[in-house]
Amino acid sequence: MSGTNLTRDEARERASVVDPASVRYTVELDLTRGDTTFGSTTNASFAATEGAGTWLDLVAPAVHEVVLNGTALDPAEVYDGARIRLDGLAAQNEVTVVADAAYMRTGEGLHRFVDPVDDDVYLYSQFEVADARRVYACFEQPDLKAEVTFLVDAPSTWEVVSNSPGKAGKASHGTKRWTFEPTPRLSTYVTAIIAGPYHVERSEHVGKEKTIPLALYCRKSLAEHLDAAELFDVTTRGFAFFEDVFGLAYPFAKYDQLFVPEFNAGAMENAGAVTHHEDYVFRSRVTDAAYERRAETILHEMAHMWFGDLVTMRWWDDLWLNESFATWASVLSLVEGTRWTDGWTTFAVTEKLWALRQDQLPSTHPISADIRDLEDVEVNFDGITYAKGASVLKQLVAWVGRDEFLEGVRAYFAEHAWGNTSLTDLFAHLEQTSGRDLSAWNEEWLRTAGVNTLRPVVTVDNNGAYTSVAIEQTAAPEHPALRSHRVAVGLYDYTDDGALVRRRRVELDIAGPRTEVAELRGETQPDLLLVNDDDLTFAKVRLDDRSLATVVRSIGSLDSLPRALCWTAATDMLRDAEMSASSFVELVLGGVDHETSMGVVQHVLNSARAAIDLYALPANRTVLSARWAAALRQLAGAAEAGSDRQLAFARAWVAAAASDEHVAEIRALLDGDEALLPGLTMDTDLRWTLLQRLVVLGAAGDDAVDAELERDNTATGQRQAAYARAAVPTYAAKAAAWQAAVESDELPNALLTATVRGFAHPEQRELVRPYVQPYLDAVPRVWAERTSESAQSIIIGLFPRVLADAATASTVRHWLEGAELPDAARRLVVEGLADLDRALRAQERDRQAG
């Protein structure tokens, strides 16, 4: 990967030579000629400092012509495999590059996929962070925006989509040329090409200033599952919300959403042509949590049309300007514009916990990060950039006022439309509209890493009244900064019917190591004292002993948001070894049946399973696992037939099942026994879930996988089968999976990810143990030889977390002391080691708990 790296200093130097307002590309692509490469011809025009030199970025197997201002250059002399050197520039320049570009199978560049159902070919681009250069020659950095005109030759049966509207010419010899209107000025990473015999559904939204054409695309073999009405409904609600709050009409000519195969992420905000992972086309029964997640993703990408595409960060240091804002805006629009009005509850338990974990790793960084090069940013799409940033933006909105905040955002769009910005540009407008000096807030929250812990300290008199209430604030020694917080403190009491109801709420500012809550002196001690009620700040929150006992006993008696905050506090206490794994599992079993948010239900079920597998003392795991599985089986059986709860509990039970009785029940479900869990829809994906569990336990093997794949020989079925084959509990199966994932680069990205996920299971620790040293030996080679996405899939996915023991931690630590690795690759291994160390501390806590 190092040969394609780009540093921040290099980008600044190039931007000082090339006039950012002058860049235009005309890109001709020939997608008709083969299955490994395609023709790419780029004509780039730009103004520059006369006599200076610069370069165009291009990653391609062959460059045939380079012509600069009418002079042919020798590709062998000016092209090094990643950069085309351009010396002796004129004031106005025109460059033509003729190349063969390569189709990718890693989900980067122009990805090529063959549908196993009908052998149709589907293409889509994925250019973030810096992969437009795999398709056309360009200045691959966000502050050199350009107008781009795409001309695409494709088979006449195909649809071709780009950022701007396009028209197909007449067919000739089975080919059509698609001509697209020039784009507005865009960063290269949000340009896009999607092509293939896609199924399409169309609609429109009457917007603030214009009617916006809408379209949905998916593979023909998935068309029967495309719920277009629901998708268009969320889309139009999002447009109505964002055009209103941003005070600016949608800035592009149309809005296409394309559900594409083998996608590496949830979605990508290509301007006017958003790509989504096609798993969001639900072919099997899912809970409402999946619909909520899909809606949030749709809204997140839509928010990027303003934050990111219209106005773009100057360099990747300010990636948060894109991702934090889009995350905050997506949840806000979800809550205020759709039926998922409890979106902040889901955010508190899922996104915020992600942020808390990330902020406690050795690799934590400020929200406004120091991104030295592309390798840094590749590993920085993390919980801080997305979820912590969104959390502190939520605080900032509350502090400066929503109206003032949005007024500042509107002024920011008005001044910087189609341009590039940094943190200071936005805050200048927010300070002006709010009348507040935000420099201290900026330093505390955006430029300082780490998370604070807020802990109540109380004293009570003989009559049960508070004599003092204080909030103590602490920080980790390596990130000692204490911040200013605006928090609410809630007092909750049991009612006669057993509900926990808030009696009083006090809102205050806290700063420094200790803040007295004078308003609560003399107040009768509640059953639950909840710091950060209403989720106003980003912090780790702790409960006093009385409150913790109340939560363990009665978490289901709280309303949605305070319940979510208690789940978050308990989960974080588990991870910090302040609550034993056994106690956490009992908390979940006592409260999950009363939880109303399906997103929260599924998240806490996953957290409890992780508690057993990683944080429980090894000697306690067998009994705890059996208790967990039996309880889940009971919950699944008691849930309403056909309900989301039944499906969620059934899936969690299957993941935990290990006894002969449960294995027999899983077999019976696969064989069609409808009496075991009446109403449970035995569809294709649930069948795979059942079979994969049998495979993990050694109760089914390759023959069963082959038979299931014959029933479901689709792209998803092939992924499920790859996972299952890697999960077979034999040395031969692990060796085959290792060979396919690590020693060979033949697997496309989706099958690579599935194989990596299937490799290691808690029930198979001894089969995985021999791969600790081979894993470490492979890390430098994988990072050097694979693309970024593939390298991260392998290094993160095959890290031996599942072993969760001191010997593994010691081996990794010793290896890191002597390993020579690029910083980005080292970060991934260091994060894995931090997870092992955390698991060991939690196991010791579980031992002490007895």
Side-chain angles (χ1 to χ4, degrees):
M1 279 187 289
S2 57
T4 57
N5 203 5
L6 172 72
T7 69
R8 178 174 52 205
D9 290 343
E10 288 176 318
R12 287 173 177 167
E13 179 185 354
R14 181 161 60 177
S16 72
V17 170
V18 176
D19 177 5
S22 69
V23 183
R24 290 172 176 80
Y25 304 113
T26 298
V27 179
E28 297 184 54
L29 304 177
D30 183 357
L31 308 180
T32 66
R33 66 185 207 184
D35 57 5
T36 58
T37 64
F38 57 95
S40 172
T41 299
T42 306
N43 181 273
S45 62
F46 58 95
T49 302
E50 192 167 2
T54 191
W55 74 94
L56 284 169
D57 299 296
L58 180 68
V59 178
V63 175
H64 302 295
E65 296 179 27
V66 179
V67 179
L68 172 61
N69 296 329
T71 300
L73 308 179
D74 184 353
E77 293 184 2
V78 300
Y79 180 57
D80 64 3
R83 298 182 179 185
I84 298 171
R85 192 177 72 253
L86 305 174
D87 295 325
L89 295 174
Q92 295 292 329
N93 300 274
E94 185 169 324
V95 185
T96 299
V97 178
V98 180
D100 293 337
Y103 290 118
M104 301 293 287
R105 300 183 72 207
T106 62
E108 298 147 299
L110 189 60
H111 184 86
R112 186 177 189 273
F113 169 84
V114 180
D115 191 336
V117 174
D118 52 23
D119 292 328
D120 278 338
V121 173
Y122 292 88
L123 311 176
Y124 65 87
S125 62
Q126 170 58 23
F127 292 159
E128 192 175 39
V129 170
D131 285 313
R133 58 187 168 169
R134 295 186 184 275
V135 174
Y136 61 96
C138 58
F139 299 123
E140 187 79 286
Q141 59 191 70
D143 59 336
L144 289 179
K145 287 187 166 184
E147 294 180 6
V148 186
T149 301
F150 284 107
L151 306 171
V152 181
D153 294 329
S156 58
T157 58
W158 283 15
E159 297 282 342
V160 182
V161 177
S162 188
N163 307 97
S164 296
K167 292 182 179 180
K170 292 183 178 180
S172 176
H173 304 290
T175 298
K176 288 182 179 179
R177 166 157 286 204
W178 289 74
T179 301
F180 292 91
E181 297 174 10
T183 69
R185 294 184 63 237
L186 295 175
S187 297
T188 52
Y189 78 92
V190 293
T191 61
I193 290 290
I194 305 94
Y198 284 91
H199 170 80
V200 59
E201 301 277 352
R202 300 189 186 278
S203 184
E204 63 182 24
H205 173 69
V206 179
K208 192 178 185 68
E209 296 178 1
K210 62 189 175 185
T211 296
I212 305 165
L214 307 177
L216 303 169
Y217 294 79
C218 71
R219 289 187 290 125
K220 289 190 298 185
S221 59
L222 280 177
E224 65 179 297
H225 306 294
L226 184 68
D227 52 336
E230 170 82 8
L231 292 164
F232 280 135
D233 180 67
V234 173
T235 301
T236 56
R237 289 176 182 273
F239 272 123
F241 182 84
F242 287 134
E243 288 196 328
D244 180 48
V245 299
F246 292 159
L248 183 68
Y250 172 65
F252 301 101
K254 49 90 178 176
Y255 196 70
D256 298 330
Q257 297 179 88
L258 305 104
F259 296 86
V260 298
E262 300 186 330
F263 203 60
N264 281 327
M268 175 62 202
E269 68 267 22
N270 310 310
V274 172
T275 42
H276 293 276
H277 197 301
E278 70 177 15
D279 280 359
Y280 279 136
V281 178
F282 303 128
R283 67 174 196 160
S284 295
R285 171 90 160 81
V286 296
T287 69
D288 193 57
Y291 287 94
E292 179 182 3
R293 185 65 196 176
R294 183 178 70 177
E296 191 276 331
T297 301
I298 289 170
L299 297 169
H300 179 106
E301 306 310 323
M302 187 181 293
H304 272 309
M305 299 300 111
W306 290 267
F307 278 111
D309 293 4
L310 175 67
V311 182
T312 313
M313 76 253 154
R314 186 166 291 113
W315 176 248
W316 298 99
D317 291 344
D318 286 309
L319 177 62
W320 79 279
L321 278 174
N322 289 5
E323 301 302 348
S324 299
F325 270 88
T327 302
W328 165 76
S330 67
V331 181
L332 184 70
S333 59
L334 191 74
V335 170
E336 299 185 10
T338 77
R339 63 185 174 87
W340 292 282
T341 55
D342 286 338
W344 288 118
T345 296
T346 307
F347 178 87
V349 174
T350 55
E351 306 300 302
K352 210 161 188 180
L353 271 172
W354 177 31
L356 290 173
R357 173 191 178 273
Q358 193 78 46
D359 215 7
Q360 296 174 84
L361 290 170
S363 57
T364 189
H365 57 84
I367 294 170
S368 184
D370 179 24
I371 302 296
R372 298 161 298 179
D373 56 25
L374 294 181
E375 289 192 359
D376 276 355
V377 73
E378 292 281 8
V379 296
N380 230 48
F381 288 81
D382 59 19
I384 294 172
T385 299
Y386 284 78
K388 181 180 179 181
S391 295
V392 302
L393 279 176
K394 185 169 179 268
Q395 295 171 227
L396 180 60
V397 173
W399 191 46
V400 304
R402 174 168 165 153
D403 291 344
E404 291 79 2
F405 180 86
L406 291 175
E407 184 183 352
V409 166
R410 292 168 190 144
Y412 169 77
F413 287 146
E415 179 176 350
H416 298 289
W418 311 114
N420 296 85
T421 61
S422 63
L423 171 68
T424 55
D425 296 308
L426 174 65
F427 271 65
H429 286 290
L430 295 180
E431 288 184 332
Q432 184 174 1
T433 57
S434 69
R436 290 178 177 267
D437 180 353
L438 298 179
S439 56
W441 189 94
N442 182 340
E443 190 64 32
E444 279 190 350
W445 286 104
L446 300 182
R447 299 189 184 275
T448 304
V451 59
N452 302 129
T453 300
L454 305 181
R455 188 185 306 270
V457 178
V458 304
T459 58
V460 183
D461 64 20
N462 293 332
N463 296 318
Y466 283 136
T467 55
S468 70
V469 176
I471 299 174
E472 291 186 350
Q473 179 180 193
T474 57
E478 57 270 25
H479 298 288
L482 300 181
R483 297 177 175 86
S484 300
H485 301 262
R486 183 71 177 175
V487 301
V489 179
L491 280 63
Y492 290 80
D493 297 320
Y494 284 113
T495 61
D496 292 341
D497 60 1
L500 281 165
V501 176
R502 187 164 67 189
R503 176 214 316 167
R504 188 176 177 190
R505 177 184 184 276
V506 174
E507 189 169 322
L508 72 158
D509 292 320
I510 65 171
R514 183 181 174 95
T515 301
E516 298 290 335
V517 189
E519 297 94 325
L520 295 182
R521 191 176 298 120
E523 190 81 26
T524 301
Q525 185 179 23
D527 294 299
L528 167 64
L529 178 71
L530 183 58
V531 175
N532 198 30
D533 203 5
D534 296 326
D535 199 23
L536 299 185
T537 195
F538 179 81
K540 293 156 60 75
V541 171
R542 292 298 179 257
L543 302 167
D544 63 73
D545 291 342
R546 177 183 174 93
S547 297
L548 181 58
T550 297
V551 167
V552 171
R553 181 171 62 250
S554 306
I555 190 169
S557 301
L558 286 162
D559 286 340
S560 174
L561 184 55
R563 188 168 64 237
L565 297 174
C566 290
W567 283 123
T568 300
T571 305
D572 192 60
M573 290 174 70
L574 165 75
R575 296 184 66 256
D576 279 358
E578 295 180 31
M579 175 183 281
S580 70
S582 302
S583 296
F584 184 80
V585 170
E586 291 305 315
L587 168 65
V588 173
L589 289 177
V592 72
D593 195 30
H594 302 284
E595 179 58 58
T596 56
S597 165
M598 287 311 304
V600 175
V601 167
Q602 292 174 208
H603 190 83
V604 298
L605 291 175
N606 290 336
S607 296
R609 185 67 213 173
I612 296 169
D613 293 338
L614 301 177
Y615 299 153
L617 190 69
N620 295 344
R621 287 176 186 152
T622 300
V623 171
L624 196 56
S625 293
R627 162 94 171 96
W628 175 245
L632 289 172
R633 176 64 182 87
Q634 186 176 4
L635 286 168
E640 180 183 354
S643 66
D644 280 4
R645 304 179 70 79
Q646 182 193 50
L647 180 58
F649 290 140
R651 284 185 172 276
W653 162 63
V654 170
S659 68
D660 291 344
E661 177 186 357
H662 288 170
V663 168
E665 287 190 316
I666 292 174
R667 286 191 184 279
L669 287 170
L670 265 176
D671 291 339
D673 187 341
E674 298 179 358
L676 276 173
L677 289 171
L680 185 67
T681 303
M682 190 51 56
D683 52 32
T684 305
D685 288 331
L686 185 56
R687 284 188 60 83
W688 277 113
T689 297
L690 299 173
L691 176 60
Q692 287 164 352
R693 185 58 182 170
L694 294 178
V695 169
V696 168
L697 297 173
D702 285 334
D703 289 345
V705 175
D706 291 342
E708 197 64 30
L709 182 58
E710 188 173 349
R711 293 170 58 111
D712 181 31
N713 192 17
T714 64
T716 304
Q718 290 183 352
R719 283 171 22 218
Q720 301 277 29
Y723 175 99
R725 291 191 178 106
V728 172
T730 65
Y731 287 105
K734 299 306 175 190
W738 183 269
Q739 173 66 32
V742 180
E743 306 302 334
S744 169
D745 63 356
E746 293 299 312
L747 288 179
N749 59 318
L751 296 186
L752 171 65
T753 301
T755 300
V756 165
R757 287 182 55 246
F759 184 79
H761 297 270
E763 297 83 0
Q764 301 173 359
R765 288 186 175 91
E766 296 314 306
L767 290 172
V768 174
R769 194 175 303 281
Y771 288 92
V772 174
Q773 193 60 50
Y775 164 84
L776 296 171
D777 293 341
V779 166
R781 171 168 48 86
V782 165
W783 188 261
E785 297 177 359
R786 301 294 186 93
T787 65
S788 174
E789 289 289 346
S790 296
Q792 290 189 67
S793 291
I794 293 168
I795 295 172
I796 296 172
L798 290 178
F799 186 91
R801 286 176 182 80
V802 70
L803 296 177
D805 58 28
T808 304
S810 177
T811 298
V812 175
R813 201 181 325 275
H814 177 74
W815 179 83
L816 278 168
E817 290 171 358
E820 294 185 6
L821 285 173
D823 289 344
R826 176 176 292 274
R827 167 180 169 166
L828 301 180
V829 181
V830 167
E831 289 180 348
L833 177 60
D835 287 342
L836 290 180
D837 289 338
R838 185 174 290 277
L840 292 172
R841 291 192 295 270
Q843 290 169 27
E844 175 60 21
R845 177 68 180 85
D846 203 46
R847 184 189 67 78
Q848 294 171 359

